[in-house]
C-alpha cells in the first residue's frame, strides 16, 4: 500500500467544524477532545489534558511551534479552549487544556468568524 495513505492513526475532522472555526483550529480542537476523552485528569468539574508546545509539535509535526501557539491562542480567544495550570510545582508552566463544550455546541447556531 502507498505509504502516504492511512496506515497510522488519522486526524479526523468534521468539515462543518472546520468551516466554522478554520481547518487548523478544528484539527487542534479535535485532538484536545481526543485526549480529554481519555478521562485521566478531572479537576474543577472538567476533564483536562496537559502538554507543552513542544509536545504539541510532536503530535503535529507539519506545523511550526509558532503556528501551534497561534492556533491555541485563537481557540482561547474564541473561548473554545480553557487553559489552566494545575502543576504540582509552581515553576512548571506546562499548560492544561479543557474545552468549553457549551461554546462548541453554540457553533451550530452562530458563526464566530
Amino acid at each position: 500500500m502507498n505509504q502516504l495513505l492511512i496506515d497510522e492513526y488519522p486526524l479526523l475532522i468534521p468539515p462543518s467544524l472546520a468551516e466554522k472555526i478554520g481547518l487548523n483550529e478544528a484539527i487542534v480542537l479535535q485532538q484536545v477532545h481526543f485526549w480529554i476523552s481519555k478521562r485521566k485528569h478531572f479537576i474543577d468539574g472538567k476533564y483536562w489534558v496537559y502538554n507543552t508546545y513542544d509536545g504539541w509539535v510532536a503530535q503535529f509535526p507539519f506545523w511550526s511551534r509558532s503556528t501551534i501557539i497561534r492556533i491555541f491562542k485563537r481557540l482561547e480567544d474564541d473561548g473554545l479552549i480553557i487553559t489552566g495550570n494545575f502543576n504540582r510545582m509552581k515553576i512548571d508552566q506546562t499548560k492544561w487544556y479543557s474545552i468549553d463544550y457549551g461554546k462548541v455546541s453554540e457553533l451550530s447556531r452562530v458563526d464566530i468568524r
Side-chain angles (χ1 to χ4, degrees), residues 61-110:
F62 43 85
W63 286 326
S64 68
R65 188 176 192 276
S66 61
T67 296
I68 289 171
I69 292 170
R70 271 194 310 276
I71 293 167
F72 272 101
K73 176 148 180 30
R74 276 188 291 239
L75 289 168
E76 286 180 62
D77 290 349
D78 289 344
L80 298 171
I81 285 202
I82 305 159
T83 60
N85 183 334
F86 304 106
N87 302 307
R88 289 193 175 111
M89 296 175 54
K90 293 294 180 193
I91 196 167
D92 184 353
Q93 294 301 304
T94 302
K95 272 188 158 180
W96 291 61
Y97 303 89
S98 190
I99 295 175
D100 184 335
Y101 288 100
K103 274 275 205 220
V104 173
S105 68
E106 288 175 13
L107 291 176
S108 61
R109 295 185 299 269
V110 126

Side-chain angles (χ1 to χ4, degrees), residues 5-6 9 19 22 28 36-37 43 48 60-61 69 73 78 83 95 97 106 110 113:
L5 296 176
I6 309 263
Y9 291 108
E19 180 182 16
V28 169
I36 287 172
S37 71
I43 303 167
W48 297 80
F60 305 116
I69 292 170
K73 176 148 180 30
D78 289 344
T83 60
K95 272 188 158 180
Y97 303 89
E106 288 175 13
V110 126
R113 295 238 175 240

